[in-house]
């Protein structure tokens, strides 16, 4: 499942051709993705100007001139590609060939910018929904989401408050979208390793008895900021399905410290430990038992 850096990478790839442009033609080439399209899905999009393209957690959000918002989720295998006249993407070092199976091209937006934006999703776990801007707070898909980990309000004090009294593991707390929005398995493993905290540590240890953030909380927030920003700069991580809108792969997977590195030597200086893997809450957890406490 694409996580925050992958979704932010896609947003930045779509922004130049989508923001400020009109959706001249909108096509839904099947009746559903993960959920059925709304009966007026195409009608509410066609002819509208995209006034802004943002992101909330793992969702892309296109503001429309009508006052509606197009909410988009990539699911497990969804990807956007931008097709410009006479401007095919050139292969790069981590280039992923554009999908030739048009059977999985389920949604198309023809923009006044001259670009066609195609959403391809072989597994159809992605989804799109048009929501009135003034109804977003009541939208079930968004209601209850925690703070953005790269937002100004997310700091050690906020994380400590969210984890105060929690008997669950630190990793489980960080994967809880109500605690912090947009983090997934990969970047939680990486942030915990960089902050030298065990994924098994009790989440409540991020807070003192007085409710103040511990040094652990401060280290962890710093590590979350660093790993997410580094991953965004690298275009995200490409393990199976993620690709940028140009067709190029992200390459942060080449910078993993622990994720998918079971049996390898820990990269922490002077540690000398070995990366281990175990199953936690149904997901693979990668960590170094020697330097993560």
């Amino acid at each position: 499942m694409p996580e925050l850096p992958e979704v932010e990478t896609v947003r930045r790839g779509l922004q130049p051709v989508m923001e400020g442009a009109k959706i001249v033609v909108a096509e839904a080439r099947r009746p559903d993705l993960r959920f059925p399209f709304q009966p007026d899905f195409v009608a509410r999009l066609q002819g509208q100007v995209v006034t802004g393209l943002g992101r909330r957690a793992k969702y892309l959000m296109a503001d429309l001139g009508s006052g509606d918002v197009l909410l988009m989720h990539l699911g497990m295998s969804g990807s956007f590609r931008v097709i410009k006249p006479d401007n095919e993407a050139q292969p790069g070092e981590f280039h992923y060939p554009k999908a030739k199976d048009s059977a999985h091209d389920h949604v198309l937006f023809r923009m006044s910018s001259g670009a066609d934006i195609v959403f391809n999703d072989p597994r159809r776990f992605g989804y799109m929904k048009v929501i009135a801007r003034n109804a977003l707070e009541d939208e079930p898909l968004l209601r209850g989401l925690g703070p953005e980990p790269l937002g100004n309000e997310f700091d050690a004090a906020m994380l400590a408050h969210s984890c105060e009294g929690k008997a669950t593991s630190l990793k489980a707390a960080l994967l809880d979208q109500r605690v912090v929005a947009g983090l997934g398995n990969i970047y939680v493993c990486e942030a915990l390793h960089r902050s030298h905290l065990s994924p098994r540590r009790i989440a409540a240890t991020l807070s003192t008895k007085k409710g103040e953030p511990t040094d652990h909380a401060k280290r962890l927030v710093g590590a979350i900021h660093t790993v997410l920003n580094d991953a965004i700069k690298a275009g995200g991580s490409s393990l199976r399905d993620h690709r940028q809108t140009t067709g190029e792969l992200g390459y942060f997977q080449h910078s993993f410290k622990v994720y998918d590195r079971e049996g390898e030597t820990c990269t922490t200086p002077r540690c000398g430990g070995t990366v281990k893997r175990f199953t936690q809450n149904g997901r693979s957890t990668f960590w170094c038992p020697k330097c993560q406490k």
Side-chain angles (χ1 to χ4, degrees):
M1 183 76 73
E3 301 181 26
L4 186 154
E6 288 75 49
V7 179
E8 178 62 20
T9 298
V10 171
R11 187 195 72 80
R12 295 183 184 190
L14 292 176
Q15 190 174 29
V17 296
M18 201 169 190
E19 200 169 79
K22 179 187 291 188
I23 303 174
V24 179
V25 175
E27 292 182 13
R29 295 175 174 175
R30 54 176 299 111
D32 58 8
L33 291 172
R34 183 173 179 181
F35 308 120
F37 288 111
Q38 297 148 297
D40 59 353
F41 178 78
V42 168
R44 291 172 72 175
L45 295 176
Q46 200 152 278
Q48 294 300 319
V49 173
V50 177
T51 59
L53 186 63
R55 179 192 53 76
R56 178 71 172 106
K58 301 175 186 178
Y59 293 94
L60 292 167
M61 301 175 68
D63 283 288
L64 306 176
S66 62
D68 283 337
V69 176
L70 172 60
L71 192 71
M72 300 171 278
H73 195 284
L74 297 173
M76 295 182 68
S77 63
S79 64
F80 286 94
R81 72 180 186 273
V82 175
I83 304 172
K84 297 181 183 179
D86 303 319
N87 187 23
E88 287 295 320
Q90 296 300 313
E93 185 177 358
F94 302 106
H95 182 74
Y96 193 108
K98 291 182 178 179
K100 295 181 179 179
D101 189 352
S102 60
H104 301 308
D105 288 348
H106 301 311
V107 181
L108 177 140
F109 304 126
R110 180 154 292 151
M111 308 301 297
S112 62
S113 61
D116 283 357
I117 298 170
V118 180
F119 182 67
N120 183 284
D121 189 0
R123 302 184 196 180
R124 299 202 308 272
F125 281 0
Y127 46 92
M128 297 186 188
K129 185 177 182 179
V130 182
I131 307 165
R133 164 59 69 176
N134 58 15
L136 281 179
E137 290 186 4
D138 299 321
E139 170 54 44
L141 294 171
L142 301 175
R143 192 168 55 230
L145 284 177
E148 288 287 321
L150 294 178
N152 292 332
E153 63 179 0
F154 181 70
D155 57 15
M158 174 172 279
L159 182 59
H161 177 72
S162 297
C163 292
E164 189 174 1
K166 283 188 179 293
T168 188
S169 70
L170 187 50
K171 186 187 177 190
L174 293 176
L175 288 175
D176 185 343
Q177 298 299 293
R178 296 167 297 181
V179 173
V180 56
L183 292 181
N185 196 42
I186 292 174
Y187 298 107
V188 168
C189 287
E190 289 295 301
L192 287 172
H193 178 262
R194 294 178 189 217
S195 57
H196 305 299
L197 296 176
S198 169
R200 291 189 169 112
R201 171 180 283 275
I202 300 300
T205 60
L206 296 187
S207 176
T208 68
K209 292 182 179 179
K210 295 181 179 180
E212 298 175 350
T214 63
D215 287 340
H216 300 318
K218 296 174 184 177
R219 289 208 315 267
L220 181 54
V221 167
I224 290 171
H225 287 160
T226 298
V227 74
L228 290 180
N229 281 316
D230 287 351
I232 290 169
K233 289 177 184 177
S237 301
S238 295
L239 299 181
R240 291 186 181 178
D241 298 302
H242 170 65
R243 69 199 70 172
Q244 302 178 59
T245 56
T246 58
E248 290 183 355
L249 295 181
Y251 55 93
F252 188 70
Q253 67 273 15
H254 301 287
S255 300
F256 287 165
K257 303 295 185 184
V258 287
Y259 190 84
D260 206 26
R261 296 191 61 188
E262 181 183 12
E264 297 184 26
T265 301
C266 178
T267 58
T268 300
R270 297 181 296 279
C271 171
T274 301
V275 175
K276 304 291 186 182
R277 184 188 71 84
F278 68 97
T279 301
Q280 189 176 24
N281 302 111
R283 306 294 297 277
S284 289
T285 293
F286 297 90
W287 71 311
C288 174
K290 186 173 181 180
C291 69
Q292 290 181 247
K293 304 297 182 181

